[in-house]
């Protein structure tokens, strides 16, 4: 019998601090040995990674898998298949599903679904909208709670009941209640009062299509984002509750993050791929309409966002993978407010950012940190996000020289389209392993539903 189950040899081992040739061996679910290239390793199977980079699998802490409730557009298995093909080894679900996981009973039901259906590791960002449920939710191995800072109108998707809180007193109560759990609170910043006035102006002028919608959310240099973040950072300071800011996109938010971090506040922030790869390009928004919208991020934000990614002001990249059917996007050509907001990205964001590294926009090490190491650190996944002896063998084997042509017909997400179609990027994910088991190779998802496990934060 061999000493190890699997060896990966001949490749370049990537990390957030540097990359170097090394061979590694996996025993069971973990990395057992890392040795100099060519050192004999006794393993049952060997993968030749010559010319390839061996990277820690991506950890996406913000993804919309749509189950339960909206499985016509995605489900747990389809989302995780797409993720596996994109080099993602852990994906956290957002709570805007039906029913939303805002009570212990509902969360437990959702956990059971993931245990049966996921092929990669996972967790669920429970909705922290019901203060009396928060202590119980925190006992279920979750890594964060999430609040969508919108007025709970009781209407259907995307603002369904149970996930939104805008009242500042209620938000303060939620921050206070989460504090003793030690968990971070993720917030989608928003100000519906300002938005209602801005929207009314567009509508009064007869501007209602996707382009008007795009401009409304970006009005006054990101006014709705900046003002909401100011409130959230002040609530964080008041309570000490760790805050994770979603959807970083404005210069105003970058500046607030810099001063909050300089003052020692416990805040992390994410960037979503659409902010630098899609929604920051007006010709693309004109061409694709609602299909390009998560949000419009005016071009003048592009350089400051890259700078914030590079210098650590923005801590990590997560997808905000938000699949919607063509039928749900089509109404945007005449009414941008009727189209569902959000864009899919779980399958292609790692190649898109690897391509940015190949082109010299950002270092490969920084990309590895942003997509894998930093998310693990921020959410307490001690044995994930890096390839060290003893860590989970969550690995993406990538060819940075090969080109990937992004096309609708290779999309594994149920919706069958991607706003990135037509792009050619350097960085082909060849093989993905989750805890030592191959879940994707040679263009096929081979992982089985049920292999994925809840990625729980360390508690000691
Ligand atoms: Zn989202």
């Amino acid at each position: 019998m061999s000493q190890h189950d699997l060896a990966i040899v001949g490749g370049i081992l990537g990390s957030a601090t540097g990359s170097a040739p090394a061979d590694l061996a996996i025993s069971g679910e973990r990395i057992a040995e890392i040795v100099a290239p060519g050192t004999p390793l006794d393993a049952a199977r060997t993968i030749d990674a010559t010319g390839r980079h061996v990277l820690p699998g991506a950890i996406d802490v913000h993804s919309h898998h749509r189950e339960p409730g909206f499985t016509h557009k995605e489900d747990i298995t389809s989302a995780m298949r797409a993720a596996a093909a994109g080099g993602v080894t852990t994906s956290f679900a957002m709570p805007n599903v039906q029913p939303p996981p805002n009570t212990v009973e509902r969360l437990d039901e959702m956990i059971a679904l993931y245990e049966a259906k996921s092929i990669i590791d996972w967790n669920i960002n429970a909705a922290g909208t019901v203060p009396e449920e928060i202590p119980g939710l925190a006992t279920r191995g979750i890594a964060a709670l999430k609040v969508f800072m919108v007025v709970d109108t009781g209407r259907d998707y995307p603002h369904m009941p149970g996930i939104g809180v805008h009242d500042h007193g209620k938000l303060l109560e939620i921050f206070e209640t989460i504090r003793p759990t030690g968990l971070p609170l993720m917030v989608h910043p928003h100000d519906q009062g300002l938005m209602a006035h801005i929207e009314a102006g567009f509508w009064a002028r007869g501007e209602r299509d996707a382009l008007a919608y795009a401009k409304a959310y970006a009005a006054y240099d990101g006014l709705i984002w900046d003002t909401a973040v100011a409130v959230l950072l002040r609530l964080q300071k008041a309570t000490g509750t760790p805050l994770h800011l979603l959807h970083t996109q404005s210069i105003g938010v970058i500046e607030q993050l810099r001063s909050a971090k300089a003052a020692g506040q416990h805040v992390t922030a994410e960037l979503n791929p659409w902010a630098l790869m899609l929604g920051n390009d007006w010709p693309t928004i004109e061409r694709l309409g609602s299909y390009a919208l998560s949000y419009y991020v005016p071009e003048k934000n592009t350089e400051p966002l890259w700078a914030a990614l590079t210098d650590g002001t923005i801590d990590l990249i997560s997808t905000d993978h938000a699949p919607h059917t063509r039928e749900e996007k089509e109404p945007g050509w005449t009414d941008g407010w009727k189209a569902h907001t959000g864009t899919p990205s779980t399958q292609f964001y790692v190649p898109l950012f690897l391509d940015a590294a190949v082109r010299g926009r950002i270092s490969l090490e920084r990309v590895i940190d942003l997509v894998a190491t930093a998310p693990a650190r921020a959410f307490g996944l001690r044995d994930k996000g890096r390839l060290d002896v003893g860590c989970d063998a969550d690995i993406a084997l990538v060819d940075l020289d090969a080109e990937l042509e992004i096309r609708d017909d290779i999309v594994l997400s149920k919706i069958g389209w991607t706003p990135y179609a037509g792009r050619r990027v350097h960085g082909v994910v060849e093989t993905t392993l989750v805890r030592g088991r191959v879940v994707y190779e040679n263009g096929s998802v081979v992982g089985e539903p049920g292999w994925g496990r809840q990625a729980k934060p360390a508690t000691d």
Side-chain angles (χ1 to χ4, degrees):
M1 222 177 101
S2 307
Q3 187 191 356
H4 301 299
D5 296 303
L6 179 65
I8 300 176
V9 304
I12 298 163
L13 202 61
S15 82
T17 51
S19 302
D23 296 346
L24 66 82
I26 296 164
S27 279
E29 300 185 353
R30 293 183 180 252
I31 296 168
E33 272 193 79
I34 296 173
V35 297
T39 308
L41 286 168
D42 177 25
R45 182 190 169 193
T46 297
I47 293 177
D48 180 4
T50 303
R52 310 292 190 265
H53 278 75
V54 183
L55 305 181
I59 297 172
D60 180 7
V61 299
H62 177 170
S63 186
H64 300 273
H65 305 146
R66 307 302 191 204
E67 186 171 359
F70 303 94
T71 52
H72 64 284
K73 43 183 151 198
E74 194 78 289
D75 60 39
I76 294 164
T77 302
S78 64
M80 298 311 203
R81 286 170 54 84
V88 181
T89 51
T90 302
S91 181
F92 286 9
M94 279 305 190
N96 57 334
V97 289
Q98 197 61 264
N102 56 0
T103 68
V104 173
E105 192 186 351
R106 288 172 169 185
L107 177 62
D108 284 347
E109 285 170 12
M110 210 166 146
I111 286 172
L113 284 177
Y114 275 78
E115 283 173 342
K117 297 188 168 194
S118 187
I119 66 171
I120 66 170
D121 285 353
W122 52 271
N123 209 328
I124 298 165
N125 301 318
T129 49
V130 185
E132 47 283 20
E133 292 283 342
I134 288 170
L137 294 169
T139 65
R140 294 304 199 263
I142 60 172
L145 292 123
K146 168 160 193 206
V147 167
F148 189 52
M149 198 177 169
V150 72
V151 177
D152 192 340
T153 57
R155 80 172 213 221
D156 272 356
Y157 189 91
H159 299 182
M160 73 269 280
I163 60 160
V165 174
H166 188 262
D167 180 272
H168 294 179
K170 188 73 181 274
L171 280 170
L172 174 59
E173 183 186 358
I174 290 166
F175 271 83
E176 288 170 343
T177 310
I178 293 177
R179 179 69 177 111
T181 71
L183 290 172
L185 174 62
M186 296 180 160
V187 187
H188 174 136
H190 187 69
D191 190 311
Q192 189 58 38
L194 291 174
M195 194 60 205
H197 174 71
I198 292 166
E199 287 171 342
F202 279 86
W203 299 343
R205 294 190 296 274
E207 297 178 41
R208 192 117 204 178
D209 63 3
L211 303 185
Y213 179 88
K215 289 176 192 163
Y217 270 85
Y220 299 109
D221 294 327
L223 177 68
I224 60 162
W225 305 101
D226 296 356
T227 51
V229 165
V231 170
L232 293 169
L233 285 171
R234 190 62 185 82
L235 293 175
Q236 192 289 319
K237 189 176 171 182
T239 57
T241 304
L243 170 66
H244 178 70
L245 285 175
L246 308 177
H247 308 322
T248 310
Q249 60 188 284
S250 72
I251 294 168
V253 168
I254 293 170
E255 287 170 350
Q256 293 184 65
L257 272 170
R258 285 212 174 99
S259 44
K261 288 186 166 195
Q265 280 189 245
H266 198 151
V267 58
T268 52
E270 69 178 30
L271 177 117
N272 311 120
W274 46 258
L276 281 175
M277 305 284 183
L278 187 70
N280 60 332
D281 179 15
W282 190 252
T284 295
I285 294 174
E286 285 188 324
R287 181 168 60 89
L288 297 177
S290 295
Y291 291 91
L293 295 172
S294 299
Y295 300 101
Y296 172 41
V297 186
E299 289 81 345
K300 68 174 166 187
N301 299 305
T302 298
E303 286 305 322
L305 284 169
W306 278 113
L309 268 188
T310 303
D311 72 17
T313 304
I314 297 172
D315 298 82
L316 58 96
I317 294 168
S318 58
T319 60
D320 187 24
H321 172 70
H324 298 291
T325 64
R326 293 180 196 274
E327 292 69 28
E328 291 162 339
K329 285 295 195 183
E330 252 338 86
W333 296 115
T334 49
D335 189 340
W337 278 262
K338 285 223 173 80
H340 290 188
T341 299
T343 47
S345 54
T346 190
Q347 192 174 342
F348 303 116
Y349 82 111
V350 171
L352 283 163
F353 279 94
L354 290 175
D355 183 69
V358 169
R359 287 185 289 110
R361 199 70 176 79
I362 188 168
S363 72
L364 177 63
E365 287 66 37
R366 187 68 193 133
V367 171
I368 294 168
D369 195 37
L370 286 161
V371 304
T373 313
R377 196 166 54 231
F379 293 91
L381 309 183
R382 195 168 46 196
D383 298 334
K384 290 189 178 293
R386 60 202 161 86
L387 301 181
D388 292 331
V389 171
C391 286
D392 287 351
D394 296 341
I395 295 172
L397 216 65
V398 304
D399 186 343
L400 293 182
D401 297 322
E403 256 191 338
L404 169 71
E405 186 189 354
I406 301 178
R407 301 187 313 267
D408 287 343
D409 68 295
I410 60 169
V411 168
L412 293 174
S413 187
K414 255 188 195 179
I415 53 169
W417 64 272
T418 167
Y420 302 99
R423 299 188 198 206
R424 300 183 71 92
V425 294
H426 281 91
V428 172
V429 176
E430 293 191 339
T431 308
T432 307
L433 292 97
V434 174
R435 283 177 287 105
R437 187 176 291 192
V438 174
V439 295
Y440 174 81
E441 72 183 333
N442 302 325
S444 299
V445 178
V446 296
E448 302 267 333
W451 175 247
R453 189 185 294 162
Q454 188 177 13
K456 296 179 182 177
T459 49
D460 53 334

